[in-house]
């Protein structure tokens, strides 16, 4: 009896085990991103061309019946490609290896979307970079998708990382090639491939709050291993550097950019880097901002600092991306949104040709809605790059579905893409199975790449093609979910900080509302009460000519438009003006009523997103062969988003109501 029972228990156990395995084989964790191509059983003999990554992609994933030829044609603009579809064949023509690879991925994208046609494409921005805020201990500043894919041990700090490198050095000593098996190289390959598929051509591997250790020989060897993998996909490697490195690493007693020894230190360091990585791209620098060292520590200007690095990089063709996100160092007490222009405008024209100024889209800090940064009006003789934030520091942190393409398109409606030398996005990638934490945060990475290639694409076009490749081409899914994605950014603005309100976030981690946030020991620029200025008379920050006069930094017609309450677009009203609670809005409501209406609308939208997602269940399950994992993971997050939207509304209205009511 016992034997029979034992036998059947055993069978049940094995049956359950087999079931679990079957489920886990089918389980889809989102790791393939938008690249859910089915590989051919054997490489397609229909694809011909010189050995390249492009050839490999097409041989593996092209399923068509027409032969495809890959041809390089140097007369095309750099990185450009053409796809020529003729009755009997398809030709992918690329300007160079990057052009060919982008052409191959375009053909595969068309295959996924079900319509292969002729096209000719060239990138609008020649620099299309991701910036990782990854620390050497493996943590990621403002990262919401696990640990760094480049650095650190699971639980390690820099010391452990150093030990690891020492061990590795011993292991590899004597071997010709350095390889670091503790970095997950296949993850890096997959990452590079995903980026190439959307046209990214440069990656900054570490946080702008840079550890000086990044430039030690040990770390540079690791950088060189990574850079070889990225280079295979046409991606250049860049590093953030700590301006104080020569001093911080103990090599010199100063980091003064005009000191000959300091200049020599950087020249030697750059030479060392290029010996290891001839394709190295250059440096990204955050200097004299939020406690980072910089040239101002030695009474030198940003131009002095940037030019010193530029001189070291110039012989190798490298560039310096010098960030304009500076405040608090030289203009204490001045409205933070004015400080970048005050600092950099007088230096315009003094930078070396290989320096590019990199500025966030808005003048404050990646808020859900900001007016564009006026630095793009004021800097005319130095190349500018825009920095966008893909990681959702202020837009729900991979817990909210917020599709950011509409925000970036809004920026491009004020700043001409053709006036920019490049575009950078703060990456939202970590070692989570689905790369980005929230399945829909993948769409922001995708959209960034697509807009970096072509900012004319609409948010809807990008959302549609992402949904079709990532989930299913079924219109009954694509249409409602495109609508949800397109509505999500405005919903976020509404339930967090409508009508130009900004920086109401909880201190430091920036998740959730803290409109009453004030602590005597905060710098004022980090206190929500400083930004909304709510009192019994009204709410909003007066940046007009009667206030800080930040409006004067804008070109016309925006300067005049923004300067007057009557003409200021309502979406920026409280950014530029302190407005009475009973001010009559365009809707006929008072400001206080309008604020309520926006918060309510934001919450209602978050509720609607949940409802729509419920209806999407069968489509997602079908796309994932019956596995509910992805649907559930999104569902859980949407419910949380709804709850958090309510928290935002209730907390903000309760607090502001204490000034506004009764009216
Ligand atoms: C990398 C904000 C963020 C910081 C970030 C900084 C910057 O202040 O909260 O985490 O630091 O911007 O962009 O340098």
């Amino acid at each position: 009896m016992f034997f029979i029972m034992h036998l059947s228990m055993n069978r049940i156990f094995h049956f359950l085990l087999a079931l679990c395995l079957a489920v886990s084989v089918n389980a889809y964790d989102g790791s393939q991103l938008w690249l859910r191509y089915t590989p051919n059983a054997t490489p397609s003999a229909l694809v011909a061309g010189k050995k390249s990554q492009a050839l490999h992609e097409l041989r593996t994933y092209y399923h068509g019946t027409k032969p495809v030829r890959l041809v390089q044609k140097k007369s095309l603009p750099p990185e450009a490609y053409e796809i020529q579809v003729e009755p009997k064949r398809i030709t992918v023509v690329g300007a160079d290896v990057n052009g060919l690879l982008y052409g191959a991925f375009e053909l595969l994208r068309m295959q996924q979307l079900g319509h292969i046609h002729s096209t000719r494409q060239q990138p609008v921005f020649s620099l299309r970079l991701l910036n990782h805020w990854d620390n050497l201990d493996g943590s990621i500043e403002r990262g919401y998708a696990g640990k760094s894919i480049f650095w650190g041990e699971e639980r390690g700090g820099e010391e452990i990382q150093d030990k690891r490198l020492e061990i590795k050095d011993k292991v590899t000593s004597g071997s010709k090639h350095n390889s670091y098996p503790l970095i997950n190289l296949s993850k890096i390959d997959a990452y590079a491939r995903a980026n190439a598929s959307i046209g990214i051509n440069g990656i900054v591997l570490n946080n702008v709050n840079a550890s000086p250790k990044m430039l030690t020989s040990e770390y540079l060897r690791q950088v060189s291993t990574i850079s070889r993998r990225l280079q295979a996909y046409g991606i250049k490697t860049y590093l953030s550097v700590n301006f104080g490195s020569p001093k911080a690493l103990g090599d010199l007693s100063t980091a003064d950019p005009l000191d000959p020894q300091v200049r020599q230190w950087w020249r030697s360091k750059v030479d060392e880097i290029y010996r290891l990585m001839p394709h190295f791209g250059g440096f990204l620098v955050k200097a004299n901002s939020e406690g980072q060292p910089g040239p101002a520590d030695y009474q030198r200007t940003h131009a002095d600092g940037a030019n010193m690095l530029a001189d070291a990089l110039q012989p190798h063709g490298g560039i310096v991306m010098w960030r304009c996100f500076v405040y608090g160092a030289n203009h204490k007490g001045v409205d933070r949104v004015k400080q970048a222009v005050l600092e950099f405008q007088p230096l315009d024209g003094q930078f070396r040709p290989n320096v590019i100024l990199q500025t966030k889209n808005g003048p404050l800090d990646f808020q859900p809605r900001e007016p564009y940064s006026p630095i793009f009006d004021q800097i005319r003789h130095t190349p500018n790059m825009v920095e966008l934030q893909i990681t959702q520091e202020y837009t729900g942190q991979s817990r909210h579905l917020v599709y950011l393409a509409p925000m970036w398109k809004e920026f491009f409606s004020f700043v001409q893409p053709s006036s920019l030398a490049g575009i950078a996005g703060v990456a939202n990638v970590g070692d989570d199975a689905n790369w980005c934490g929230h399945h829909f945060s993948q769409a922001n990475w995708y959209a960034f790449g697509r807009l970096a290639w072509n900012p004319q694409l609409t948010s809807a076009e990008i959302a549609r093609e992402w949904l079709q490749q990532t989930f299913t081409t079924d219109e009954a899914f694509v249409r409602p979910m495109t609508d949800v994605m397109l509505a999500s950014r405005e919903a976020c603005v509404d339930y967090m900080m409508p009508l130009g309100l900004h920086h109401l976030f909880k201190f430091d981690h920036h998740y959730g509302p803290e409109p009453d946030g004030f602590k005597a020991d905060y710098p004022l620029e980090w206190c929500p009460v400083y930004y909304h200025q709510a009192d019994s008379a009204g709410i909003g920050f007066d940046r007009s000519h009667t206030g800080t006069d930040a409006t004067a930094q804008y070109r016309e017609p925006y300067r005049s438009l923004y300067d007057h309450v009557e003409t200021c677009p309502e979406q920026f009203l409280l950014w530029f003006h302190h407005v009475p609670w009973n001010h009559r809005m365009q809707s006929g409501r008072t400001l206080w009523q309008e604020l309520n209406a926006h918060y309510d609308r934001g919450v209602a939208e978050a509720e609607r997103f949940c409802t729509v997602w419920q209806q999407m269940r069968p489509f997602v399950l079908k796309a994932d062969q019956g596995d509910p994992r992805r649907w559930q993971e999104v569902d859980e997050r949407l419910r949380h988003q709804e709850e958090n939207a309510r928290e935002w509304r209730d907390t903000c209205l309760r607090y502001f109501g204490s000034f506004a009511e009764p009216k």
Side-chain angles (χ1 to χ4, degrees):
M1 182 63 186
F2 171 78
F3 177 72
I4 293 170
M5 254 180 72
H6 179 71
L7 196 69
S8 53
M9 290 293 279
N10 229 357
R11 279 206 179 129
I12 291 169
F13 172 75
H14 280 105
F15 171 74
L16 287 175
L17 191 69
L19 198 71
C20 288
L21 283 176
V23 168
S24 63
V25 165
N26 283 335
Y28 181 56
D29 56 10
S31 56
Q32 293 172 359
L33 298 161
W34 47 89
L35 299 164
R36 302 190 73 188
Y37 310 148
T38 320
N40 294 314
T42 54
S44 169
L46 289 176
V47 187
K50 273 209 210 141
K51 191 165 178 259
S52 67
Q53 204 63 49
L55 183 73
H56 173 73
E57 287 294 332
L58 288 180
R59 286 219 159 137
T60 314
Y61 298 110
Y62 173 68
H63 298 295
T65 48
K66 275 187 198 176
V68 177
R69 265 186 333 140
L70 285 165
V71 180
Q72 205 166 322
K73 191 162 135 195
K74 293 211 168 78
S75 56
L76 288 179
E79 303 188 290
Y81 64 83
E82 277 176 20
I83 296 179
Q84 300 157 359
V85 182
E86 292 165 280
K88 294 225 163 95
R89 66 174 182 192
I90 298 173
T91 313
V92 178
V93 187
D96 40 36
V97 281
N98 280 23
L100 278 176
L101 189 55
Y102 301 148
F105 277 117
E106 175 76 68
L107 185 56
L108 293 174
R109 182 160 40 239
M110 290 175 175
Q111 174 175 274
Q112 293 297 92
L113 302 179
H115 178 48
I116 294 180
H117 55 89
S118 296
T119 186
R120 189 191 169 117
Q121 299 274 332
Q122 76 181 84
V124 168
F125 302 107
S126 51
L127 292 168
R128 305 178 298 281
L129 268 67
L130 288 179
N131 291 184
H132 279 261
W133 286 356
D134 294 18
N135 298 311
L136 298 184
D137 67 0
S139 63
I140 304 179
E141 183 154 349
R142 311 308 177 188
Y144 312 104
K147 295 269 185 180
S148 169
I149 60 169
F150 300 122
W151 313 110
E153 297 280 4
E154 284 221 337
R155 254 183 276 278
E158 288 183 19
E159 276 180 31
I160 295 174
Q161 170 87 354
D162 282 345
K163 272 197 203 114
R164 175 180 103 182
L165 288 168
E166 276 166 34
I167 293 164
K168 209 36 242 159
D169 281 345
K170 279 181 203 138
V171 175
T172 54
S173 61
S175 106
K176 224 169 118 201
H177 302 288
N178 270 339
S179 67
Y180 295 94
L182 289 173
I183 312 171
N184 185 343
L185 289 176
S186 59
K187 186 105 186 167
I188 290 173
D189 292 341
Y191 179 62
R193 176 170 175 260
N195 280 316
S197 77
I198 50 173
I200 299 296
N201 68 358
I203 293 179
V204 182
L205 297 183
N206 61 318
N207 192 353
V208 286
N209 293 325
S211 165
K213 285 189 182 180
M214 187 74 262
L215 292 177
T216 57
S217 303
E218 289 79 3
Y219 278 104
L220 288 179
R221 279 203 296 281
Q222 189 163 336
V223 172
S224 136
T225 304
I226 296 168
S227 90
R228 273 197 296 276
R229 313 302 281 222
L230 300 182
Q231 188 61 35
Y233 286 91
I235 297 169
K236 278 194 181 199
T237 296
Y238 299 78
L239 290 177
S240 295
V241 294
N242 181 303
F243 194 81
S245 294
K247 189 174 167 202
L249 290 173
D251 293 341
L252 299 175
S253 58
T254 174
D256 180 350
L258 299 191
D259 183 296
Q261 280 185 306
V262 172
R263 299 176 74 81
Q264 183 52 45
W265 188 94
W266 281 105
R267 273 198 297 272
S268 307
K269 190 48 78 181
V270 167
D271 291 347
E272 179 188 348
I273 292 174
Y274 277 90
R275 271 197 303 278
L276 283 166
M277 296 166 264
H279 297 291
F280 184 72
F283 294 150
L284 173 64
V285 191
K286 171 176 178 177
N288 293 123
S289 179
E290 299 187 332
Q292 291 301 312
D297 303 349
Y298 307 94
Q299 289 74 52
R300 312 297 184 196
T301 68
H302 285 285
D304 293 330
N307 289 344
M308 173 196 59
L309 297 176
D311 289 344
L313 287 157
Q314 188 276 332
H316 305 279
I319 59 168
V320 177
M321 293 163 289
W322 191 270
R323 292 177 91 229
C324 297
F325 178 75
V326 296
Y327 66 93
N330 293 334
H331 293 90
K332 285 205 168 58
V334 175
D335 183 0
R336 177 169 152 185
V337 307
K338 290 177 67 179
Q339 294 193 29
V341 168
L342 293 176
E343 195 105 358
F344 285 92
Q345 198 276 334
L347 301 174
D348 191 16
Q350 294 181 28
F351 293 92
R352 300 281 191 268
N354 58 334
V355 176
I356 304 176
L357 296 180
Q358 178 168 314
T359 311
K360 297 182 182 185
N361 54 300
L364 186 63
D365 191 9
F366 295 138
Q367 299 298 289
R369 170 165 280 128
E370 293 191 32
Y372 72 96
S373 172
I375 206 161
F376 296 105
D377 293 339
Q378 299 294 338
I379 299 291
R380 301 204 179 87
H381 308 288
T382 312
N384 285 301
M385 274 176 87
V386 62
E387 180 179 308
L388 306 173
Q389 196 179 41
I390 309 170
T391 191
Q392 293 168 246
E393 175 179 0
Y394 296 106
T395 51
Q397 307 194 349
S398 290
R399 299 170 86 184
H400 293 202
L401 188 167
V402 180
Y403 174 54
L404 297 172
M407 173 156 88
W408 302 331
K409 293 285 294 182
E410 193 170 290
F411 170 77
F412 289 127
S413 72
F414 294 101
V415 177
Q416 276 297 318
S418 56
S419 69
L420 301 173
I423 179 166
V426 182
N428 63 350
V429 163
D431 67 359
D432 272 7
N434 73 9
W435 299 89
C436 301
H438 195 312
H439 291 282
F440 276 79
S441 297
Q442 295 178 354
N444 292 328
W445 175 12
Y446 182 83
F448 172 81
R450 298 290 283 141
L451 286 174
W453 182 272
N454 178 9
Q456 301 302 327
L457 289 171
T458 67
S459 303
E461 281 168 333
I462 299 171
R464 278 185 66 79
E465 62 178 46
W466 178 78
L467 285 164
Q468 287 171 316
Q469 295 170 92
T470 311
F471 287 94
T472 165
T473 52
D474 193 327
E475 275 299 303
F477 174 83
V478 174
R479 226 177 295 119
M481 285 315 295
T482 302
D483 171 66
V484 163
M485 287 173 73
L486 293 179
S488 60
R489 185 276 183 135
E490 204 57 44
C492 172
V493 171
D494 276 338
Y495 63 67
M496 284 188 182
M497 39 197 79
L499 299 174
L501 287 173
H502 46 287
H503 227 310
L504 306 183
F505 295 95
K506 282 193 179 149
F507 183 61
D508 202 28
H509 57 66
H510 296 161
Y511 192 79
E514 196 172 51
D516 59 342
F518 173 78
K519 291 203 172 63
D521 50 341
Y522 285 13
L524 203 52
E525 297 100 326
W526 292 347
C527 295
V529 294
Y530 165 74
Y531 288 107
H532 61 65
Q533 312 247 329
D535 55 23
S536 56
I539 182 170
F541 198 124
D542 186 358
R543 296 194 166 103
S544 73
H545 66 280
T546 58
T548 65
D549 207 19
T551 48
Q553 291 186 338
Y554 284 87
R555 70 176 191 267
E556 290 292 5
Y558 301 112
R559 176 184 307 188
S560 305
L561 275 178
Y562 296 162
D563 200 45
H564 302 285
V565 176
E566 305 75 43
T567 53
C568 184
E570 287 189 350
Q571 58 187 10
F572 299 131
L573 188 64
L574 305 181
W575 184 283
F576 288 114
H577 298 278
H578 191 73
V579 182
W581 293 108
N582 60 3
H583 172 81
R584 215 29 87 185
M585 303 293 285
Q586 278 159 16
S587 62
R589 300 184 190 110
T590 65
L591 170 62
W592 172 235
Q593 290 164 342
E594 187 75 14
L595 211 52
N596 277 267
H598 276 274
Y599 275 110
D600 282 341
R601 191 169 72 193
V603 171
E605 283 292 81
E607 286 165 1
R608 182 172 73 86
F609 302 161
C610 282
T611 310
V612 175
W613 190 246
Q614 292 297 317
Q615 293 153 6
M616 297 300 109
R617 192 169 188 275
F619 303 102
V620 181
L621 259 62
K622 190 169 170 206
D624 294 353
Q625 281 95 45
D627 173 31
R629 172 175 175 171
R630 210 162 43 139
W631 183 84
Q632 268 166 6
E633 286 175 352
V634 173
D635 190 54
E636 277 158 23
R637 281 175 170 72
L638 283 171
R639 284 164 196 273
H640 171 79
Q641 178 172 2
E642 184 189 330
E643 203 179 291
N644 194 226
R646 271 198 216 103
E647 183 193 346
W648 267 98
R649 176 191 61 188
D650 297 346
T651 311
C652 290
L653 289 180
R654 198 179 316 118
Y655 175 76
F656 294 138
S658 69
F659 302 102
E661 284 175 329
K663 285 275 172 268

